Amino acid sequence: MLAERVAVWLRLCLTACLCLGLLACDTPVSGDSGPRYLDAPPVRKKNLYRLAVHPLHNPQKLSESYQPLIDYLNRRLPEARFELEASRNYQAYEEKIRARTPEILLPNPWQSLQAMDSGYGVIAMAGDAEDFYGIFIVRKDSELKHPRDLRGKAIAYPSPTALAAAMLPQFYLHRQGVDIATELDNRYVGSQESSIMSVFLNETAIAATWPPPWRAFQKDHPQEAAQLRVIWQTPPLLNNSLMLRDDVPVEIRRKLQTALLDLTDSREGMDILAAMQTARFHRADNAFYEPVRDFIRRFEREVRPVAQP
């Protein structure tokens, strides 16, 4: 099994950080700070707002990337308390959206549309639109030259609902003349890291991901990344959103949006954004994401349903 080989290889070859992060996929994170898995609705505490980030990273890496933002928000809005929440995988995260358990979401654009149906509203876009695109990673010794060379080969993605790392790549391949359903061995391996690792371990011929996880992998594991290369990339779409549940007070909504937009005004804020691999937050609302809805319609008409059986 891919997951077992990845775990063994990581224990032997990668740093303790990545190893612990992958093992945490089945283990709650201990301690009083950092992200936690929440699989059941929590007891609602007054003035507590949990930020649930879609599964960009393992929980330890998620804490390194997003806990500085949480600390900043707790200082900027002393009347509220913010906490970071991790999810085991895309499916668990999407179940939380439907159940309306987190007060704050940082979902991908497709999940943003689903969250609108559950009563969440967009207050910002996280990052520049130009940074939201899919990339295809191969080993440096790969003989692939054209997307048609993928016919009959295995390709890894994090999840069927990963927009930048699955839908955009599949739409790209479709437009290049590849039949996604019949000509590829599509493997949904659970996370961005597992997708990258699958091609490193020669489990698949190619892996789909998107720029922030690839940049993080290059930074954290330069020796392994040096054996890989980006072969193709897709056109961009809109970036991830920041959303609030509709029962969050208007004053908290206003102050939170201001705090996010102000991050580019200070060195501390720029450091927080750099940790998240995010250039800035842009003011946005639900209507801003209509181009994503248009893309999903085309994708489902030409490629496959987004929700897999």
Side-chain angles (χ1 to χ4, degrees):
M1 296 290 293
L2 173 59
E4 294 172 348
R5 290 193 60 185
V6 169
V8 171
W9 184 90
L10 288 173
R11 284 197 294 269
L12 296 174
C13 304
L14 288 181
T15 63
C17 173
L18 183 56
C19 174
L20 290 173
L22 289 175
L23 289 175
C25 289
D26 294 313
T27 307
V29 176
S30 61
D32 296 328
S33 62
R36 312 194 291 274
Y37 290 132
L38 287 179
D39 293 325
V43 176
R44 182 72 171 94
K45 297 181 181 179
K46 185 176 181 181
N47 298 329
L48 173 64
Y49 301 94
R50 289 151 302 140
L51 170 60
V53 180
H54 78 283
L56 285 165
H57 307 294
N58 63 67
Q60 184 166 332
K61 181 65 176 176
L62 186 76
S63 179
E64 294 170 2
S65 299
Y66 284 90
Q67 191 60 40
L69 174 65
I70 295 297
D71 296 339
Y72 163 81
L73 294 176
N74 281 322
R75 292 194 299 272
R76 280 288 298 260
L77 283 76
E79 68 272 33
R81 177 68 187 170
F82 297 90
E83 291 183 357
L84 183 61
E85 182 178 322
S87 298
R88 297 182 186 279
N89 51 42
Y90 280 76
Q91 290 71 31
Y93 186 73
E94 289 152 17
E95 288 172 4
K96 292 177 184 181
I97 292 175
R98 290 188 289 270
R100 289 172 49 88
T101 51
E103 291 77 16
I104 310 172
L105 300 174
L106 202 160
N108 74 30
W110 178 80
Q111 293 163 340
S112 300
L113 301 182
Q114 306 308 300
M116 291 176 198
D117 294 337
S118 294
Y120 290 86
V122 174
I123 66 167
M125 180 176 72
D128 296 331
E130 295 79 8
D131 199 38
F132 191 89
Y133 56 90
I135 56 177
F136 296 87
I137 295 175
V138 296
R139 293 187 62 87
K140 283 191 172 178
D141 58 3
S142 172
E143 296 182 355
L144 291 173
K145 298 186 183 308
H146 189 277
R148 289 190 296 270
D149 298 335
L150 277 174
R151 289 168 175 160
K153 294 181 170 59
I155 177 170
Y157 319 90
S159 165
T161 56
L163 201 157
M167 286 183 257
L168 287 179
Q170 289 177 342
F171 194 72
Y172 173 89
L173 294 175
H174 166 75
R175 288 297 176 95
Q176 294 291 321
V178 179
D179 189 312
I180 302 301
T182 64
E183 295 184 326
L184 297 178
D185 177 5
N186 298 296
R187 301 183 185 181
Y188 300 104
V189 296
S191 70
Q192 303 285 345
E193 287 105 335
S194 291
S195 183
I196 297 171
M197 287 298 301
S198 71
V199 73
F200 177 81
L201 293 173
N202 282 313
E203 293 285 350
T204 58
I206 194 167
T209 185
W210 68 299
W214 173 233
R215 289 195 293 261
F217 189 84
Q218 290 174 295
K219 178 182 177 182
D220 295 341
H221 311 292
Q223 292 183 342
E224 291 74 28
Q227 300 180 52
L228 306 172
R229 61 186 171 95
V230 175
I231 188 171
W232 309 306
Q233 70 180 54
T234 76
L237 196 58
L238 295 176
N239 217 319
N240 299 326
S241 71
L242 197 292
M243 306 184 77
L244 297 183
R245 205 171 61 197
D246 54 13
D247 58 352
V248 172
V250 173
E251 186 64 10
I252 295 294
R253 181 182 303 266
R254 183 187 66 80
K255 290 183 177 180
L256 178 58
Q257 184 184 56
T258 299
L260 295 172
L261 298 177
D262 286 350
L263 283 168
T264 53
D265 294 341
S266 68
R267 178 55 186 269
E268 178 198 12
M270 294 301 293
D271 289 343
I272 291 170
L273 290 166
M276 298 187 296
Q277 296 281 337
T278 300
R280 61 185 61 80
F281 282 90
H282 299 267
R283 192 183 302 272
D285 57 18
N286 287 7
F288 188 79
Y289 281 82
E290 278 305 306
V292 177
R293 199 177 298 278
D294 293 339
F295 169 78
I296 296 298
R297 291 192 189 103
R298 294 198 307 273
F299 180 83
E300 292 201 309
R301 183 172 61 248
E302 298 183 28
V303 183
R304 63 167 172 86
V306 173
Q308 297 292 284

